[in-house]
Each structure stands twice: as structure tokens, then as C-alpha cells.
Amino acid sequence: MINRFFKNIDKPIPYEGKDSKNPLAFKYYDRNKKVGNKTMAEHLRFSVAFWHTMLGSGADMFGGPSFTREWRTASDPMQRAKDTMEANFEFLQKCGIDYWCFHDRDIAPEGANFAESCKNLEEMVGVAKKYQNETGIKLLWGTANLFGNAIYSQGAGSSPNAHVMATAIAQVKNAIDATKELGGENYVFWGGREGYETLINTDLKKEMEKMTRFFQMAVDYKNKLGYKCQFLIEPKPCEPTKHQYDSDAATTLYFLKEHGLYDHFKLNIEANHATLAGSTFEHELAVASAAGKLGSVDANRGDLLLGWDTDQFPTDIYSTTFAMMIILDQGGLGTGGLNFDAKVRRASNDPTDLFYAHIGGMDAFAKGLLVAQKMIEDKALSKFIDERYSSHNSGIGQQIMSGKATMEDVDKWVRGEKNPVLQSGRQEMLENIINSYIS
Ligand code: XUL
Ligand code: CO
């Protein structure tokens, strides 16, 4: 086991059960425990987000870094990248997490020009591959950072500037190569700069056409490589751009359908992006899942009182329970997983806080999984829901839904009946049932 940067944690975090008082132990996440027909590890497929966990510095809009990270101290940028990669795999091993995710520019420094940046990336992919082989840890997804560099300030794949659009395309080509080399099971597109600040300088239709070409070229390239990885789009309504094109699940799915890209993508739903879109996490999961398009999850949470992407670690058992109900109902996430796109707070400046944060997130989802599985087994909600829709199983309901009845038939039937009698929606009763399972 790598033991260089987190020396105070001398063994992988153990499972000790819910009565344990050890803050460096799991209370619910027991990786080999069978839940239904899979182990907890197989259900949950946790992943560490390299950018937050390894690179997070505690800096915010009002102040600079507040953390000291030993792996970020080397003055040579490539040495710093190598130390950071080592710290990443040490952390993954000690947390007992099987997957990681990265942006190209997270793992390798930008060079003086594009070609140099590609060379640095290739070298760092080699370093990561060596650690993956040694540890058995795998890549959930890779992606390209198309938002940090100032050239992308007016868009990347949708930029009005052809040279910028070409650079974004080339960057994605190299990021797909890197993800393939590392056996990535998915590749993510998050368009933080794809959108507009104001319509007075924007040709929205042209930008949509550019996005379509950009995505289509990536699909063609993946097919040419024969690379069997799932492409995912991660919706977000705003931040950094005022209006982002992939605003939420429904908007993104509509865009894909309209532009002939539907079969090539699924969605990566992020909890805090859902709340920024004015919905709930479970709403976005449910919309994606109903379309057969829920591919992966960025597991985090926002803050009720703050209107931005706070990227906090998930701790709310209600939220993780609802999420796991939807995930279990669709038979799991397939090649996707639960990626902690989350960061410790500015005041949590000790590297051990990274362990507490991930332990908390993993336990919150493990507990959510246990509650969801039990509720599904007991048909705690589904019995009621099935009953609520049962008037469509026969009679006029069945005739409408099967397409047998015309409007005239329905009109005739309604005229011959008394007024409809409504059954109670029983929201409060169901809330009490959920509470009884969570406690
Ligand atoms: C930004 C965000 C990104 C994506 C990957 O809000 O969630 O980190 O997950 O680019
Ligand atoms: Co994300």
C-alpha cells in the first residue's frame, strides 16, 4: 500500500458498524455485504473526483488557498503532477474506493502551447496507468477541461471563433485517447462555457449547430477507435456561464433528440446542478431514468440558503434514499457510478478531513441503499403507487391507454357515468412510512 502523504492513516478505513464511535471507520458501508443480488461495492461504484480532492486548495472568490497539501509543494510542475497522482492512489486505496475521475488539465500541467500540453498529458497518463495496474483501481470517467483556459471564455465547442472551436475539438480528441488508454468506462461532457452571457451578441441557432458538430465528431472518433465507452452529458443551468445550453435533463435529452445524437449519450446527473436548475436531485434522476438515460451520478449537495454550486459532500439520508430507489428501480447504473464531485469546506484544512468527507458520503449512500432495498422488497411505496394507477388496468382506462377508444367513445362513456370519485393521494401517510424505514 502506498504510504507517503497520509501517514496518520496506516490501514484502509475499516467497516465497524453503526455503533462504532471511531470517526475513521464506516458505519454502514461494508463493501462485501450483499444487498439483493450485488455487493455494496458493486451497487455504489464510488469514485473520487481528482480536481476537488487532490487539487482543492480552499480558495474561494474572496480569499486564496487555506490548505497546505504536501503533494502540491514541488516547484517543478511535472514533479508536482506526479506527487499528486501518487497521493490520489494512496487516498483511493486507504478509503477503499475503486474508481477515480479526472479532467485532462487536472492531471497534467498546461505547456507553452497545445502540443506541449498533449505531451504532458501523455506522460501523466503513463504514470496513472502504472498506479492503476499496481492497485487495481479503475477509471470511471475522463473529461476535458474546456472552461479554465481564457480562450474558452466565449464558449468551447460552441465558440464563435473557429480556431477556439478547433482547439476544443482537438482537446477532446486527446482527452478521449487518455481515457481510453486508462480503460475509462465512460467519458463526460460538461459544457460550463457552452451558453451565453447575453443574447445581444449571440446567434443561438448557430451555436446549437456547432454543439451538434462538436458532439458528432466525438461520436465518430469513438466509433472509429472501436472504443466501447459510454458518452455522458452532465447538465447544469448556469455557473460559470449565465445560461448554459445543457440546462437540465429534459433540455439536454430534447437537444440530443432534435439533433440526431440521442442514441450516443446518456446523462451524468449532479445533485447540486439539479437544485441550481430549480428542481430536486430526485427529479433530475427520475427524468433521466424514465427515458432510460441515467448513466452516472455526481454525488454531492448544495446548501438550501446559498444559490451557487457549493459542492458539499452528501449527508442527507432522505436524498440518498430517494436516489438509490431510482437507481435500484432501473437495475443499477451500468458502467456509471457515484462520483464525489464534492469539496471539503475552506475551514476543513487538514488532509484527514478528506477522509471524514468521503467516509460520510459513502456511509450516507450505503445507508440510503439499505433503506431503498428494504422499501422496494416490502413494496412500501410501489404497492400504493400500483393501486393508484390501477383504474387504467381495465375498463375505460385500459381502452384509452391501449389506443382502442376514440374521443367520441370517451365522450359517450363519460356522459353515461356519475362524477369521478377521487382516492386520497396519501402523501402524509407515505412520508410517515418512509420515516419508519429511515429510523
Ligand atoms: C462543474 C462540474 C464539473 C464536471 C466535470 O460544476 O460538475 O466538475 O463534473 O467537468
Ligand atoms: Co460534476
Side-chain angles (χ1 to χ4, degrees), residues 316-319 321-322 325 367 371-372 374-375 380-381 426-439:
D316 180 346
I317 309 293
Y318 277 89
S319 171
T321 298
F322 287 138
M325 298 257 303
K367 168 95 182 169
V371 176
K374 185 86 179 82
M375 287 198 349
L381 301 182
R426 296 268 186 255
Q427 182 172 336
E428 296 76 9
M429 181 193 83
L430 296 170
E431 284 168 347
N432 297 349
I433 290 175
I434 294 169
N435 267 359
S436 75
Y437 277 84
I438 284 179
S439 58

Side-chain angles (χ1 to χ4, degrees), residues 54-55 133 229 288 301 312 384:
M54 291 302 128
L55 305 182
N133 290 340
C229 101
R301 73 182 156 102
Q312 286 163 253
F384 178 82

Side-chain angles (χ1 to χ4, degrees), residues 51-52 103 141 143-145 147 188-191 234 236 238-240 268 270 273 298 300 309 311 339 341:
W51 53 100
H52 284 311
H103 300 85
W141 49 262
T143 187
N145 178 328
F147 45 90
V188 163
F189 294 84
W190 170 62
E234 184 177 320
K236 187 177 183 183
C238 55
E239 197 197 342
N268 182 36
E270 178 162 327
H273 295 183
D298 269 8
N300 62 11
D309 197 10
D311 280 345
N339 172 47
D341 192 354

Side-chain angles (χ1 to χ4, degrees), residues 279-308:
S279 311
T280 57
F281 182 29
E282 58 267 25
H283 169 85
E284 287 290 272
L285 292 172
V287 169
S289 184
K293 291 289 184 185
L294 175 57
S296 201
V297 172
D298 269 8
N300 62 11
R301 73 182 156 102
D303 184 297
L304 265 183
L305 302 181
L306 301 175
W308 63 89

Side-chain angles (χ1 to χ4, degrees), residues 84-315:
T84 308
M85 192 60 78
E86 185 171 355
N88 178 49
F89 281 91
E90 179 176 348
F91 183 79
L92 281 154
Q93 270 193 317
K94 289 184 172 175
C95 257
I97 295 182
D98 300 333
Y99 289 93
W100 67 298
C101 294
F102 71 93
H103 300 85
D104 50 359
R105 301 298 180 246
D106 300 339
I107 64 168
E110 284 202 53
N113 54 42
F114 183 74
E116 231 176 71
S117 300
C118 292
K119 199 175 132 273
N120 291 348
L121 178 62
E122 276 162 33
E123 185 175 342
M124 286 311 300
V125 164
V127 174
K129 193 168 179 178
K130 190 177 112 299
Y131 285 119
Q132 285 193 171
N133 290 340
E134 279 168 21
T135 60
I137 288 162
K138 291 169 281 186
L139 181 65
L140 186 67
W141 49 262
T143 187
N145 178 328
L146 299 180
F147 45 90
N149 194 304
I151 63 165
Y152 297 132
S153 60
Q154 299 178 47
S158 64
S159 170
N161 180 307
H163 193 162
V164 172
M165 183 185 178
T167 309
I169 292 166
Q171 203 181 315
V172 168
K173 184 236 173 237
N174 284 275
I176 291 174
D177 289 343
T179 304
K180 177 171 183 281
E181 180 65 17
L182 291 171
E185 296 182 33
N186 310 271
Y187 181 90
V188 163
F189 294 84
W190 170 62
R193 303 278 180 199
E194 315 294 8
Y196 59 82
E197 290 299 322
T198 171
L199 279 173
I200 61 178
N201 64 10
T202 302
D203 185 332
L204 190 134
K205 189 163 188 291
K206 265 208 174 100
E207 297 210 354
M208 293 293 182
E209 284 162 12
K210 282 163 175 288
M211 283 310 288
T212 304
R213 271 308 290 148
F214 168 78
F215 284 133
Q216 187 63 56
M217 285 173 86
V219 168
D220 292 345
Y221 183 61
K222 182 184 78 150
N223 290 343
K224 189 168 169 198
L225 293 177
Y227 178 23
K228 300 250 164 300
C229 101
Q230 179 63 55
F231 273 179
L232 300 166
I233 296 183
E234 184 177 320
K236 187 177 183 183
C238 55
E239 197 197 342
T241 303
K242 183 179 100 165
H243 180 97
Q244 283 165 215
Y245 292 135
D246 301 322
S247 314
D248 61 8
T251 310
T252 306
L253 291 175
Y254 171 74
F255 169 85
L256 292 170
K257 263 245 157 91
E258 192 190 6
H259 295 92
L261 292 161
Y262 199 71
D263 294 343
H264 304 293
F265 291 85
K266 286 188 175 178
L267 302 180
N268 182 36
I269 297 297
E270 178 162 327
N272 206 165
H273 295 183
T275 48
L276 284 180
S279 311
T280 57
F281 182 29
E282 58 267 25
H283 169 85
E284 287 290 272
L285 292 172
V287 169
S289 184
K293 291 289 184 185
L294 175 57
S296 201
V297 172
D298 269 8
N300 62 11
R301 73 182 156 102
D303 184 297
L304 265 183
L305 302 181
L306 301 175
W308 63 89
D309 197 10
T310 60
D311 280 345
Q312 286 163 253
F313 276 83
T315 53

Side-chain angles (χ1 to χ4, degrees), residues 291-365:
K293 291 289 184 185
L294 175 57
S296 201
V297 172
D298 269 8
N300 62 11
R301 73 182 156 102
D303 184 297
L304 265 183
L305 302 181
L306 301 175
W308 63 89
D309 197 10
T310 60
D311 280 345
Q312 286 163 253
F313 276 83
T315 53
D316 180 346
I317 309 293
Y318 277 89
S319 171
T320 59
T321 298
F322 287 138
M324 289 315 301
M325 298 257 303
I326 294 166
I327 292 168
L328 290 177
D329 261 344
Q330 70 163 34
L333 286 170
T335 60
L338 299 173
N339 172 47
F340 291 115
D341 192 354
K343 58 189 178 204
V344 292
R345 299 302 87 191
R346 180 169 164 77
S348 304
N349 58 4
D350 178 349
T352 308
D353 292 316
L354 294 172
F355 283 90
Y356 295 136
H358 285 80
I359 290 169
M362 291 162 81
D363 267 343
F365 269 94

